[in-house]
Amino acid sequence: MKDIRWDKLDNTANLFPVIAREGMSNVYRVAVNLKENIDGELLQEALNLVLPFFDVFNMKMKRGLFWYYFETNEKPAPKVHEEDTFPCAYINPYNNNDYQFRVTYYKKRINLEVFHALTDGNGAFLFLKELTYQYLRLMHEELKRPELDKLSATTSLDSEDSYLENYKTKAKKGYKTEKAVIVKGESFTMGQYGVVQGYINLQDIKRVAKSYGVTINQYIVGVFTYAIYKGFLKGKPSKKPISTCVPVNLRPYFESETTKNFFAVVSAVFKPTKESYTFEEVLGEIKDSLNTQIDKDNLEKLFSYNVSNQMNYMLRAFPLFLKNIGMKIAYYSSAKANTGTLTNLGVVKVDEPYADYIDSFYALLSMSKGQNIKGAVCSYGDTLVFSMSQGIKEMDVPKAFFRQLAKDGIGLEIETNGVCYE
Amino acid sequence: MSSCRKCGIGIRDESKVCPLCGAPLEMGDTAHETSGYPDVSPSIKKMQLAVKIIIFSSVVAEIVMIIVNIFTKSDYPWSALAGVGLVFGCFTFTFSFRNNRSLQRKLVIETFATVIVIFVVNAVVGYGSWGLTIGAPAAVAAFDIALVCLMLSEIRHYRLYIFGQVFMVALSVILAIVCLVRKESFYWVCVGTAMFTIIVLAGMIVFGGRQATGELKRRFRV
Ligand SMILES: [Zn+2]
């Protein structure tokens, strides 16, 4: 009999099973818009073919006495079905063949929804792209080739824990506990939230960012902060800062190609101490705040503290339920330290023959404790898609966000999930 | 796709007004459409409603019983006993009647709950320490037999049940040790149950071979 393949959770992944529950699913979505309607049965077939190649997804999570761990899932792939809930709903593995991700479709769109313990957005895009390629190969005669049903050459299958490979010992506490502005309002019933997406002209936003002397990333975080300042604080001074979590993909900094989680979170901080700031002033502060944090040394410090805890022999010997209590306390005490999250997944590149069939990609985050507003960005071709999700009914922040883009003369098309019109 | 001239933006969903300024939209071509989102009307979860009703009526019933118990000046605390039963019933209903956990986890948790209920009833009713010497070990033995049956029905996945069996061993050994430390004269049910669970676990490991030891190594990795 062959031995069972198993794997540890990566360093950040350890937190997610502890805090995940209905209403705070820690599930995010990556999706692709094709130019044609999706056939559910073919999509299921494509998933069945692709899944065995992806160790990170082909897993079930088990509970040991001291740690959670992954074990190869021998059940058939989860059932592909039409989208019938709000995005990023809680995944109960018991009803999902023990898998921690789901694949759904709606009209022309394929959704991949992933529990964050498996991997981050960059890892999820690799899987979504292969799934899409396979689906298109099944669907279109002209794409069928001799090397059918193999992964594309550029897809990494490396599943190392890059945190462990790259951490430096002796790091100080990485997460902060100073309280930030919390966006409050009338909340939705559990599991529901508003989605407002902007399909943005990439060339326009490039030009505008350049004219302000910032990168696209800094510009978007700047507009996001400004939108909270204008839309929620109504341009008034505040004792607490607006602090936005900005996850940084660590793969390019540490030459990793892992398909597991590998990111660190920096905070873009803006504290409105005086009356009325202009957009340029806010953007300037955000630019400085990000510039001081995003360099290799600082990023290394950020994750080394968590890793050194994980490596500590004393802490390792605590039973899992005690570890979980500790992690919950740390998580909830730092939950109010951030106003929102904005993640930029960068440019999605697609292999040549498939590009003609793909319209756009997007990513979408779910709500977490204390953070009622989040944004996710990715770009493909000439379009950058900004997806804002929010746990409150008031539309002031997304309105302020897109108004600023429109004011800067950026070509923009908006789509919502409808709940905010009620 | 429609557009708002005032804001200079396009609108891809079916809204009649601009989401930014509320002005009516100009209808345009339908060339660049994305899929939008399905209309998910919030469904009332029947299960949650049932849980609420049962917990509410249990609380009402318990309050009524306590009042009757006090006013009839009964020396016997029968309302407390009924309360224990109600709490256990509510727990079982909310926890085990839902289709969201594996049977094994339900069994293990129900075992713990039953042992606790037996101790509480023993404390209320009195009559020596029958809860420890007979009640609790008998319950553990019964649940362990259920676990073994479950495993045999799914013998291909017997590996999954090793961890549950480890919990049963831990529970029954603790009961046996408490029994012996307190020098209970009637200790053989406890000791017998502990031996039974240990033999079952040993059997699983011996017949399971490398798969079983691998499973244990993973579960107990520090
Ligand atoms: Zn408008």
Side-chain angles (χ1 to χ4, degrees), chain A residues 57-60 71-76 96-100:
Chain A
F57 286 87
N58 195 16
M59 286 286 179
K60 62 178 165 186
E71 206 176 87
T72 300
N73 194 338
E74 281 149 354
K75 292 190 183 171
N96 194 37
N97 284 358
D98 295 337
Y99 287 95
Q100 301 278 6

Side-chain angles (χ1 to χ4, degrees), chain B residues 179-200:
Chain B
C179 231
L180 293 174
V181 168
R182 286 170 50 122
K183 299 207 170 67
E184 299 283 349
S185 50
F186 202 69
Y187 60 83
W188 60 268
V189 182
C190 262
V191 174
T193 303
M195 283 170 67
F196 171 68
T197 57
I198 290 171
I199 289 167
V200 171

Side-chain angles (χ1 to χ4, degrees), chain A residues 385-412:
Chain A
V385 185
F386 179 90
S387 310
M388 192 176 264
S389 37
Q390 62 167 24
I392 54 167
K393 290 183 179 168
E394 288 79 357
M395 285 283 290
D396 301 325
V397 177
K399 275 182 188 171
F401 182 91
F402 289 112
R403 272 188 196 133
Q404 180 61 39
L405 294 187
K407 204 176 142 195
D408 281 337
I410 295 170
L412 172 66

Side-chain angles (χ1 to χ4, degrees), chain A residues 403, chain B residues 3-9 11 17-25:
Chain A
R403 272 188 196 133
Chain B
S3 60
C4 172
R5 192 183 286 173
K6 199 174 146 201
C7 304
I9 60 165
I11 312 296
V17 294
C18 171
L20 297 192
C21 68
L25 297 177

Side-chain angles (χ1 to χ4, degrees), chain B residues 85-181:
Chain B
L86 282 175
V87 169
F88 183 62
C90 287
F91 172 79
T92 303
F93 185 81
T94 54
F95 185 84
S96 293
F97 282 8
R98 281 176 162 178
N99 189 29
N100 61 356
R101 283 184 187 81
S102 72
L103 264 173
Q104 178 181 210
R105 276 190 74 187
K106 286 177 184 171
L107 265 177
V108 170
I109 301 285
E110 284 288 336
T111 313
F112 274 102
T114 308
V115 167
I116 289 168
V117 165
I118 288 170
F119 283 140
V120 172
V121 171
N122 191 182
V124 172
V125 179
Y127 299 117
S129 53
W130 57 267
L132 175 65
T133 52
I134 301 173
V140 174
F143 276 109
D144 198 29
I145 289 168
L147 189 69
V148 171
C149 292
L150 195 64
M151 180 192 74
L152 291 176
S153 75
E154 241 193 325
I155 193 74
R156 228 159 42 85
H157 300 293
Y158 77 93
R159 194 164 61 79
L160 302 177
Y161 295 93
I162 294 177
F163 206 42
Q165 187 60 33
V166 169
F167 275 109
M168 293 296 190
V169 168
L171 193 57
S172 59
V173 166
I174 289 171
L175 287 175
I177 289 172
V178 172
C179 231
L180 293 174
V181 168

Side-chain angles (χ1 to χ4, degrees), chain A residues 70-196:
Chain A
F70 290 123
E71 206 176 87
T72 300
N73 194 338
E74 281 149 354
K75 292 190 183 171
K79 197 109 196 73
V80 171
H81 59 90
E82 199 170 355
E83 183 173 350
D84 59 356
T85 59
F86 273 81
C88 308
Y90 177 70
I91 296 174
N92 183 345
Y94 181 70
N95 301 325
N96 194 37
N97 284 358
D98 295 337
Y99 287 95
Q100 301 278 6
F101 71 95
R102 76 165 75 85
V103 175
T104 59
Y105 61 96
Y106 186 67
K107 291 183 186 168
K108 299 177 194 169
R109 181 175 66 231
I110 301 173
N111 310 309
L112 170 65
E113 297 186 330
V114 184
F115 183 44
H116 216 321
L118 296 185
T119 180
D120 55 23
N122 294 84
F125 264 125
L126 289 177
F127 185 52
L128 177 65
K129 281 197 292 188
E130 281 303 331
L131 177 65
T132 309
Y133 297 165
Q134 183 62 59
Y135 171 79
L136 288 169
R137 282 196 297 259
L138 292 171
M139 192 74 191
H140 293 282
E141 203 60 44
E142 67 272 20
L143 288 174
K144 285 182 181 156
R145 284 175 301 161
E147 69 269 31
L148 181 77
D149 304 340
K150 289 209 184 83
L151 297 187
S152 92
T154 49
T155 295
S156 161
L157 292 173
D158 181 356
S159 62
E160 71 163 19
D161 185 345
S162 295
Y163 291 108
L164 294 185
E165 297 294 322
N166 294 296
Y167 87 107
K168 295 275 181 294
T169 44
K170 295 255 163 55
K172 287 212 186 75
K173 191 164 97 173
Y175 59 91
K176 61 194 191 74
T177 44
E178 191 204 348
K179 282 189 178 143
V181 171
I182 301 293
V183 177
K184 287 181 188 133
E186 193 190 338
S187 51
F188 289 108
T189 40
M190 193 170 78
Q192 300 186 13
Y193 56 92
V195 177
V196 188

